[in-house]
Amino acid sequence: MHYNNYRNLGFTTISNGLIAYYPQLKISDAEIILIIQLEMFAQKGNNFPSNEELAANTNFSTTEIASLIQKLIEQKYLAIDESTDNKGRIYNCYNLDQIYDKLDEVLRVNITAANSNHAKPTTEIDNSPLNKLLRQFEIEFGRYLSPIEREEISAWLRVDHYDPEIIRLALREAVLAQAYSLKYVDRILLNWQRHNLKTSNEVQNFLQRNR
C-alpha cells in the first residue's frame, strides 16, 4: 500500500501547542492519545464515538478507555454535552473546549515569560529536535519510552548524526509495518545509511522507487 493510499484516509489536525505542552497540563501520555482519538473522530463528524470504537484504534481496552474518559472529565478537560437535532431528538457529544481554554493559559504564561527574557518563544525552546522525536515516538507507540530507548534515540542524533526528518520517516515506515520497536526503526535507518541516503528527499525518492 503506497503512502498516497494512506493519505486518502485523511489527516487529523492537532495543535502543536497541545503536543508541546500537554505534560504541563498534567495530562498523561495515555490521555493525550485518547484526546487525539477524540479529535480524529470529531473531525470526521463523529462527536460521540463509543468506547468500543476508541478502543479499536488504540492498545487500550474498553474499560481503560472508560477510565481515561472519566479522569479527563474529573480534571475538567473533557465534558459531555447534550444537544438536540432538527427532529427534536437529544444526543450526546464530547466537548474538548475546556482543555484548549487551559492550554491558552499555559501558552500565555510561557510565551510572556519568554518575551520578557528576550528569548525565543518557549515553543521553540521546549521543542528541541530530540524532545519532538521522543514525543512522536511515544504517541505512535502508545506508551512511555524507557530510559534506554530515549538514550538510543538521542544517540541517533548525537552519535550517528541522523537528520531528525529521516528518523521520522523511519518511524513512519515502522508504523506502517505495525512494528512498534526501536530495533525495527534502527534497521531501517541502517539500510538507508548503506544506500548512502542522507536527506529526506533522497529517502522519499528511494521509497517511491522500491514500493
Side-chain angles (χ1 to χ4, degrees), residues 12-209:
T12 300
T13 302
I14 300 293
S15 164
N16 285 336
L18 181 58
I19 294 174
Y21 286 99
Y22 76 87
Q24 293 194 29
L25 292 169
K26 307 302 182 185
I27 293 173
S28 69
D29 287 0
E31 289 165 346
I32 195 66
I33 290 171
L34 176 58
I35 290 166
I36 291 171
Q37 290 294 324
L38 291 174
E39 278 286 14
M40 182 198 72
F41 278 103
Q43 292 174 31
K44 286 184 175 182
N46 183 354
N47 290 308
F48 199 67
S50 67
N51 290 354
E52 288 75 16
E53 289 175 308
L54 292 167
N57 280 4
T58 66
N59 291 322
F60 304 130
S61 67
T62 54
T63 301
E64 289 170 325
I65 291 290
S67 177
L68 289 169
I69 288 173
Q70 183 60 38
K71 187 174 180 181
L72 287 172
I73 291 173
E74 291 172 355
Q75 293 174 310
K76 299 190 183 302
Y77 288 139
L78 179 67
I80 299 177
D81 294 342
E82 281 190 356
S83 296
T84 306
D85 63 19
N86 54 14
K87 294 184 179 180
R89 293 175 298 192
I90 297 175
Y91 64 93
N92 292 327
C93 58
Y94 287 117
N95 185 337
L96 286 165
D97 287 351
Q98 291 173 305
I99 192 172
Y100 291 109
D101 289 341
K102 293 179 183 291
L103 178 61
D104 284 344
E105 296 175 11
V106 170
L107 290 175
R108 191 180 304 113
V109 169
N110 282 276
I111 292 175
T112 299
N115 290 337
S116 66
N117 292 326
H118 304 287
K120 293 181 179 180
T122 306
T123 50
E124 294 184 14
I125 295 172
D126 286 354
N127 275 323
S128 67
L130 176 59
N131 285 339
K132 290 202 297 188
L133 281 173
L134 293 175
R135 287 172 184 154
Q136 191 166 357
F137 270 84
E138 289 185 331
I139 288 172
E140 294 291 356
F141 285 9
R143 60 175 177 80
Y144 288 110
L145 294 174
S146 69
I148 293 176
E149 289 174 321
R150 287 172 170 264
E151 179 57 32
E152 183 170 355
I153 294 173
S154 176
W156 287 341
L157 295 173
R158 292 183 295 99
V159 179
D160 300 313
H161 303 293
Y162 288 127
D163 186 313
E165 186 57 34
I166 287 181
I167 297 174
R168 291 189 189 93
L169 289 172
L171 171 61
R172 188 191 73 186
E173 292 300 302
V175 170
L176 293 179
Q178 296 185 342
Y180 301 97
S181 75
L182 291 194
K183 287 184 179 179
Y184 193 91
V185 175
D186 191 51
R187 285 200 296 270
I188 293 172
L189 291 170
L190 289 173
N191 181 49
W192 292 346
Q193 187 179 59
R194 284 194 293 270
H195 285 84
N196 199 32
L197 305 176
K198 297 180 180 179
T199 69
S200 59
N201 285 337
E202 289 174 345
V203 168
Q204 290 172 334
N205 290 335
F206 175 80
L207 292 174
Q208 289 177 357
R209 291 195 304 269

